[in-house]
Amino acid sequence: MSKEKKKSIIIELNQDLIKNNNRLAEENNNLLKKYNIKSFDVVGAIGAGKTAILESLCDKLSGKYKILVINGDVTTRIDADRINKHGVRTIQVNTGRECALNSYHITQVIKNIELSEYKNGILFIENVGNLICPSDFILGADKRIIVVSITEGPWVIVKHPLLFKLSDVAVINKMDLIDVIDVDVEKMIKDAKEINPNIKIFKISANSGANVSELIKALEL
Ligand code: MG
C-alpha cells in the first residue's frame, strides 16, 4: 500500500470516530434534557482545581438540586472520593490509556443508572486532567467549563486555544494566591477573550469560596 493510501485511511477512521462521538453526544444531551438535567463538562489540567471547584459547587447547590458527578480519571478514584464526602453521588470512569472522556463513557453511565432520580437536577462531569485531548470529544453536556489556575503560568491560555474556543465559561482559579504569584491575570483574560470573544470569565478561589456565587449565577443554577 502506498504511503498516501495509508494516510487517507487513517483520516477516514478519525472522521468516523469524531462523527460517532458527536452522534452519541447528541443522544446523551437529548436523554438528559428529557429529565430536565442541566449538564456541565469541566475540563482543565491536573491541579488546576476542577475537583475543588466541584466540591464548592456541590456544597452550595446540593440543598437546591439533586446532583450527580461523573469523574474521569486515567486510573484513580481520588477525586470521586473527595466529592463523595460532600454527600453527592459520584461515578468514577477510569479511561485506562485515554486522555479524555468521550461520549460513549457518558452514555454507559447515564443509560445504566436511574436517571429519573436526578430529574430537574445537575450532572457535573469532571474530565480527565489535561488541556488538549478533551478538545476532540464533546460529551453531550449543555456547557463546557474550562478551569485554569494562576499557578499554571502566564501562557496557559494562549498555548491551549482550541479548548478555550470550544468552552462556554472559563474559570481562573487560585486567586487567593495572587499576592505571591507573579502573573498578569488581566492579560490572561485578554488572551481568552481574543481566542473566544463569547467566553464568560470568572476569577475565583475555590479554597476561599470567593466569586463562586457569581459562577453559579452565570451557570444559571
Ligand atoms: Mg480533579
Side-chain angles (χ1 to χ4, degrees):
M1 197 180 282
S2 75
K3 221 176 179 181
E4 273 63 36
K5 262 193 173 172
K6 265 190 192 167
K7 201 178 170 192
S8 71
I9 288 169
I10 291 167
I11 290 165
E12 280 168 23
L13 282 173
N14 279 342
Q15 282 175 345
D16 278 351
L17 193 73
I18 300 296
K19 215 196 282 174
N20 283 336
N21 186 76
N22 291 349
R23 183 181 50 79
L24 273 184
E26 198 181 333
E27 283 178 25
N28 289 345
N29 196 258
N30 288 340
L31 186 57
L32 293 165
K33 285 250 163 65
K34 189 177 152 196
Y35 294 99
N36 194 31
I37 298 169
K38 295 176 179 182
S39 53
F40 305 91
D41 174 16
V42 182
V43 299
I46 292 173
K50 298 184 295 302
T51 312
I53 287 166
L54 287 174
E55 286 177 290
S56 184
L57 290 175
C58 287
D59 281 345
K60 287 187 162 56
L61 294 167
S62 59
K64 190 175 170 190
Y65 295 99
K66 195 84 194 279
I67 302 175
L68 174 67
V69 180
I70 298 174
N71 292 93
D73 196 276
V74 174
T75 55
T76 79
R77 56 163 298 122
I78 295 168
D79 298 345
D81 289 343
R82 273 173 63 187
I83 291 170
N84 251 169
K85 288 185 183 142
H86 296 259
V88 167
R89 184 179 176 193
T90 57
I91 295 179
Q92 181 69 52
V93 176
N94 287 129
T95 57
R97 285 179 302 177
E98 304 298 328
C99 53
L101 289 171
N102 60 54
S103 54
Y104 181 70
H105 292 128
I106 306 307
T107 306
Q108 288 305 301
V109 173
I110 63 178
K111 285 203 171 159
N112 285 296
I113 61 164
E114 200 52 71
L115 211 51
S116 59
E117 278 179 29
Y118 298 91
K119 196 169 183 214
N120 304 321
I122 301 171
L123 169 65
F124 288 120
I125 303 166
E126 179 176 357
N127 218 313
V128 180
N130 72 89
L131 285 164
I132 298 164
C133 308
S135 310
D136 289 325
F137 300 101
I138 55 167
L139 304 178
D142 297 328
K143 285 195 166 97
R144 194 185 248 157
I145 304 168
I146 186 163
V147 180
V148 293
S149 69
I150 59 169
T151 55
E152 289 172 79
W155 311 116
V156 63
I157 294 173
V158 283
K159 285 192 180 186
H160 301 97
L162 189 53
L163 206 44
F164 273 86
K165 203 172 271 179
L166 299 172
S167 296
D168 305 285
V169 175
V171 171
I172 301 179
N173 189 28
K174 305 194 187 178
M175 287 302 294
D176 49 307
L177 300 175
I178 192 67
D179 292 338
V180 291
I181 303 287
D182 183 21
V183 64
D184 183 348
V185 179
E186 296 315 310
K187 168 79 167 56
M188 289 173 84
I189 292 171
K190 198 169 155 255
D191 290 342
K193 283 280 180 194
E194 263 168 30
I195 293 164
N196 179 353
N198 297 320
I199 202 163
K200 291 181 185 168
I201 305 170
F202 296 87
K203 297 186 278 186
I204 76 158
S205 166
N207 275 349
S208 74
N211 276 340
V212 174
S213 304
E214 276 66 27
L215 173 64
I216 288 172
K217 263 186 235 156
L219 300 177
E220 294 170 33
L221 295 173

